[in-house]
């Protein structure tokens, strides 16, 4: 018959519309069942608990027979299944007997009241200190010292404006661990912004790719002279106007060097046939043509009315432009082409570099026929010395740069003839310029980077690198205000870099012009 009972139970379970007869009871039924269970005989429950020695007691009410998991085997003789009422019943709320652990009823705990009392105690610590006994106060003090350690005797930070001093007799042992001050409203910039792209790019077609020539110079009147093949062009940096100053007659002739006079609008031009010409750019007129060299003139430099020119033969001639017999001196120590020539700002020394890897420093001597010897001859360079630059704030300091086999920039004290320092630039040095405003220098280079490098003197740390040229940067010139550098490269472009821009607020106001035309004092001297 058991199989029929099982079959009936399965059918009744599958019928969803039939009432549930063996499910859990309702809450009101469970409460009535709990109240009925509480009236059972406690002795029977104790006997049931004693007979079950395998399963530890978990329930807190020993009087409920339905709460033990293992019923007494002496009473029933078999395991009694739990009824649905007992499975759903809760733990009866009754005071536990001795020996049981107390589990409080969480629903009866007043959390709001407890939280309020805890917060009230935390906020009223100052007031409660007065109500503590001396022993309790001492205990709290010792606990605070043990927990906080030495931090109670320190202040975390102090401000710029100190607090007023304490009255006499007050002992303060606080020490300052950190201090802070208000940041200044205007802090000085430690690093200036250097644009990495040129401010302007100009075309320079047919510029000669020759390391030994000097084809670029910038005048104090803001005119840039550029040699393109056999022609000389002038670019007015103020207005952007371009004009052609002169052109060589023969197709094979070209310009080897240009140099502006320091005082005004006179331009010296060295040609491939060995002539040195002086032009008045205001009138666009050639004032004179001085001969004497046997080969091309690749370097020029002015010292007041003395014009020095370097030749491919290695000779250096001094020309006095005031007199008809202009040739007043010859320097013939170099054995190969002179490619670098610079007079010092004070006119005391002339520096010359040539393809024989020698750097010579000459005194200001222009006697005709005198066997003038250099004051110093430096042979540290391992290639042609073209890049020469005198320091504007220390007139005896000379910087020189070597060619591809050398790649070094050296510094010399020409008062004592000593070598100060040197740096390896890792590439061919073509030109050097000083910046008087920032006490820096900029150098142009050839293979392999074809870049311009700004150096901090005397540490010779790299401030910035300016790239953009696709061929070696052969020439450089600086604007009259010292803010812009123009570079000419074999890629037939001129690039203007705003790398030494001065803050307008800190820039010193320049003295006003007296109204006289620059170079007018020399106009009557040149014949």
């Amino acid at each position: 018959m058991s199989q029929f009972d099982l079959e009936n139970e399965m059918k009744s379970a599958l019928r969803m519309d039939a009432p549930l007869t063996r499910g859990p009871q309702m809450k009101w039924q469970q409460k009535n069942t709990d109240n009925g269970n509480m009236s059972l005989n406690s002795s029977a429950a104790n006997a049931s608990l004693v007979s079950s020695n395998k399963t530890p007691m978990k329930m807190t009410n020993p009087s409920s027979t339905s709460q033990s998991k293992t019923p007494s085997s002496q009473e029933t003789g078999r395991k009694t299944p739990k009824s649905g009422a007992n499975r759903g019943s809760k733990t009866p709320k009754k005071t536990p007997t001795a020996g049981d652990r107390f589990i409080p009823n969480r629903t009866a705990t007043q959390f709001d009241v407890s939280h309020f009392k805890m917060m009230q105690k935390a906020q009223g610590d100052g007031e409660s200190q007065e109500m503590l006994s001396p022993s309790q106060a001492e205990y709290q003090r010792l606990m605070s010292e043990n927990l906080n350690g030495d931090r109670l005797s320190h202040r975390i930070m102090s401000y710029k404006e100190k607090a007023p001093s304490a009255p006499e007799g007050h002992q303060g042992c606080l020490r300052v661990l950190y201090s802070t001050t208000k940041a200044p409203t205007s802090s000085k910039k430690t690093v200036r912004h250097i644009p990495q792209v040129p401010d302007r790019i100009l075309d320079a077609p047919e510029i000669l790719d020759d390391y030994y020539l000097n084809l670029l110079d910038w005048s104090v009147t803001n005119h840039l002279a550029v040699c393109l093949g056999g022609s000389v062009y002038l670019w007015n940096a103020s207005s952007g106007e371009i004009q052609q100053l002169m052109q060589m007659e023969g197709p094979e002739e070209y310009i080897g060097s240009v140099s502006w006079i320091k005082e005004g609008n006179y331009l010296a031009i060295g040609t491939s046939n060995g002539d040195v010409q002086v032009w008045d750019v205001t009138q666009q007129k050639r004032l004179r043509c001085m001969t004497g060299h046997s080969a091309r003139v690749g370097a020029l430099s002015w010292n007041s009315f003395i014009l020095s020119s370097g030749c491919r033969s290695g000779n250096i001639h001094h020309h006095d432009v005031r007199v008809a017999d202009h040739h007043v001196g010859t320097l013939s120590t170099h054995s190969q082409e002179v490619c670098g020539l610079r007079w010092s700002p004070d006119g005391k020394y002339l520096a010359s570099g040539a393809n024989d890897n020698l750097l010579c420093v000459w005194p200001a001597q222009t006697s005709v026929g005198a066997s003038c010897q250099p004051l110093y001859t430096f042979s540290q360079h391992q290639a042609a010395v073209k890049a020469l630059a005198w320091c504007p704030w220390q007139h005896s300091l000379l910087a020189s740069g070597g060619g591809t086999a050398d790649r070094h920039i050296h510094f010399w004290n020409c008062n004592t003839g000593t070598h100060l320092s040197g740096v390896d630039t890792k590439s061919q040095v073509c030109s050097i310029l000083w910046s008087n405003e920032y006490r820096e220098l900029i150098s142009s280079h050839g293979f392999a980077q074809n870049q311009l490098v700004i150096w901090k003197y005397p540490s010779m740390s790299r401030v910035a690198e300016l790239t953009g040229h696709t061929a070696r940067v052969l020439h450089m010139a600086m604007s009259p205000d010292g803010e812009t550098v123009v570079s000419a490269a074999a890629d037939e472009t001129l690039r203007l870099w705003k790398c030494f821009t001065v803050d307008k607020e800190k820039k010193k106001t320049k003295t006003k012009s007296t109204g006289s035309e620059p170079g007018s004092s020399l106009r009557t001297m040149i014949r």
Side-chain angles (χ1 to χ4, degrees), residues 53-125:
N53 54 6
K54 292 183 180 181
T55 303
M57 179 182 62
K58 289 187 178 181
M59 307 305 294
T60 58
N61 190 0
S63 62
S64 177
T65 58
S66 61
Q67 301 304 321
S68 82
K69 289 189 175 181
T70 306
S72 174
S73 60
Q74 297 178 0
E75 295 179 353
T76 60
R78 61 183 179 88
K79 295 182 179 181
T80 304
K82 296 182 181 180
S83 62
N86 291 337
R87 288 197 305 267
S89 64
K90 295 183 179 180
T91 303
K93 302 177 182 179
K94 186 177 181 181
T95 305
T97 58
D100 294 336
R101 60 190 180 92
F102 173 69
I103 302 178
N105 187 5
R106 299 179 65 86
T107 58
T109 305
Q110 298 179 353
F111 290 101
D112 296 337
V113 177
S114 301
H115 178 71
F116 172 76
K117 291 183 178 180
M118 291 173 62
M119 296 300 296
Q120 188 179 25
K121 182 178 183 304
Q123 296 176 358
D125 283 342

Side-chain angles (χ1 to χ4, degrees), residues 486-506:
V486 60
S487 59
D491 57 6
E492 297 186 346
T493 61
L494 301 178
R495 298 174 186 260
L496 283 79
W497 311 85
K498 293 280 188 180
C499 53
F500 296 116
T501 304
V502 183
D503 190 357
K504 300 300 181 182
E505 297 179 357
K506 298 181 180 180

Side-chain angles (χ1 to χ4, degrees), residues 462-499:
R462 295 191 178 217
V463 178
E465 293 187 9
L466 308 178
T467 58
H469 284 291
T470 58
R472 56 181 180 176
V473 187
L474 296 171
H475 318 285
M476 282 195 310
M478 185 172 288
S479 62
D481 57 5
E483 297 185 1
T484 306
V485 172
V486 60
S487 59
D491 57 6
E492 297 186 346
T493 61
L494 301 178
R495 298 174 186 260
L496 283 79
W497 311 85
K498 293 280 188 180
C499 53

